[in-house]
Amino acid sequence: MEIRTAASPKDVKNYDTSRLREEFLIQDLFKEDEIKTVYSHIDRIITGSAVPVRQKLELTAGEEIRAEYFLQRREMGVINIGGSGKIMVDGTEYKLGYKDGIYIGMGSKEIIFESDDESKPAKFYFNSTPAHKSYPTVLITLDDIKPENKVELGSLEGSNHRVINKYILPGQVESCQLVMGMTSLKPGSVWNTMPCHTHDRRMEVYLYFELSDDAVVFHYMGEPQETRHLVMRNEEAVISPSWSIHSASGTQAYTFIWGMAGENQAFDDMDAVAMTDLR
């Protein structure tokens, strides 16, 4: 498990490109027959992936979280961005197709990832946060998402026409603190979360995917008056501290998974930033 420490905005304003990428960018997530995890000190979120190809992969705690099993004191959300596969949770099998998700509650001991076809392996992406209560494990397909949690925003004229699918949040799938979902941009749109915002009460992690090999996303971060950017490519993730904006423009349309952790689960608890105030 890789460890990332928290960072002060006063320090970040002095980081060069290499240091920004070292602290906030998560690369090489989806490796065959491996589980990769990155533990951030920011709200103790763990970002991870599992790509079972020739073998099943079991999620274990490791030394870093000092637990008997991974979800002893945690909960997690998983979204599959690869071929069809399955997750065994304490002996119960859950089948996940492309963009299907699952919430797995605290106390689940045995979690095993498996692909249906090794030539088209599943790519399980997950976020995990500390938890204090056990909620039921729930499979989540796009068809399961309630109309009020499937929101269309923006316009083609504004280059930000997008659909937000809210997988895990109060009223859809209950959790302790994890909030998770997926936003897809319509063809011809390249901007997400613009006008931008911060939320001092929660941090966020983005995973960008559905990008061609020669495409990039410019992810914008930093305090509103001290913005920076990271050049990101397909299937890379970025850690966003609560004091930072988190917005992007791409060289093509794309999709991203967002996961949040922190003080509350109110999706609309945001501190809007006027376009005229950005620097």
Side-chain angles (χ1 to χ4, degrees):
M1 186 179 294
E2 182 183 344
I3 304 294
R4 302 285 183 95
T5 56
S8 164
K10 293 179 180 179
D11 295 330
V12 171
K13 69 171 64 177
N14 298 308
Y15 288 1
D16 62 11
T17 298
S18 296
R19 182 69 186 277
L20 282 174
R21 294 172 71 86
E22 177 186 349
E23 296 290 341
F24 301 107
L25 182 63
I26 302 175
Q27 296 179 294
D28 300 321
L29 264 172
F30 299 95
K31 292 187 175 181
E32 291 188 0
D33 289 321
E34 288 188 22
I35 292 177
K36 177 170 180 173
T37 52
V38 177
Y39 181 109
S40 174
H41 284 189
I42 303 172
D43 284 304
R44 305 289 167 174
I45 195 167
I46 294 176
T47 300
S49 61
V51 187
V53 180
R54 290 166 291 276
Q55 58 185 325
K56 301 176 183 179
L57 298 175
E58 183 172 359
L59 183 62
T60 58
E63 285 294 315
E64 291 81 2
I65 61 175
R66 298 293 195 272
E68 295 177 23
Y69 50 94
F70 192 84
L71 294 185
Q72 184 178 13
R73 301 182 300 269
R74 288 183 159 269
E75 60 187 354
M76 68 186 294
V78 186
I79 297 177
N80 179 20
I81 66 166
S84 60
K86 58 183 71 76
I87 301 177
M88 296 287 291
V89 181
D90 289 338
T92 300
E93 180 179 289
Y94 298 90
K95 294 182 177 294
L96 280 76
Y98 187 58
K99 294 183 179 178
D100 288 344
I102 188 172
Y103 169 80
I104 306 175
M106 183 187 76
S108 301
K109 292 183 178 180
E110 185 181 61
I111 301 168
I112 300 173
F113 301 96
E114 184 178 359
S115 293
D116 291 341
D117 182 352
E118 69 175 53
S119 67
K120 298 177 181 178
K123 293 181 177 180
F124 297 108
Y125 171 77
F126 59 85
N127 292 150
S128 172
T129 57
H132 59 272
K133 179 181 177 180
S134 180
Y135 285 96
T137 294
V138 180
L139 182 67
I140 313 156
T141 70
L142 286 174
D143 290 337
D144 294 329
I145 296 175
K146 298 175 182 178
E148 61 268 28
N149 292 324
K150 190 183 292 284
V151 181
E152 191 166 342
L153 293 176
S155 65
L156 182 59
E157 291 78 10
S159 302
N160 63 354
H161 190 192
R162 61 201 189 273
V163 177
I164 302 172
N165 292 283
K166 304 172 185 178
Y167 284 60
I168 302 169
L169 80 170
Q172 179 67 48
V173 172
E174 298 299 321
S175 65
C176 283
Q177 69 159 315
L178 178 65
V179 175
M180 197 170 180
M182 180 179 68
T183 299
S184 297
L185 274 67
K186 297 286 189 178
S189 289
V190 296
W191 279 101
N192 82 68
T193 325
M194 184 60 76
C196 62
H197 61 261
T198 60
H199 29 68
D200 275 345
R201 293 144 298 281
R202 291 176 299 178
M203 62 83 65
E204 197 156 4
V205 177
Y206 278 9
L207 171 78
Y208 292 101
F209 68 108
E210 292 191 326
L211 283 159
S212 60
D213 290 342
D214 60 349
V216 298
V217 165
F218 292 84
H219 178 86
Y220 303 103
M221 62 164 294
E223 293 180 295
Q225 286 74 44
E226 285 282 349
T227 59
R228 302 290 186 270
H229 75 269
L230 292 168
V231 177
M232 298 181 59
R233 292 173 171 79
N234 191 44
E235 298 180 356
E236 294 183 342
V238 59
I239 299 168
S240 178
S242 57
W243 47 262
S244 175
I245 65 168
H246 35 282
S247 181
S249 60
T251 55
Q252 64 165 80
Y254 50 88
T255 300
F256 65 101
I257 295 170
W258 40 268
M260 292 184 278
E263 184 69 26
N264 63 42
Q265 296 177 295
F267 183 83
D268 58 356
D269 179 12
M270 302 172 184
D271 302 313
V273 178
M275 297 292 285
T276 53
D277 291 337
L278 286 173
R279 297 287 186 272

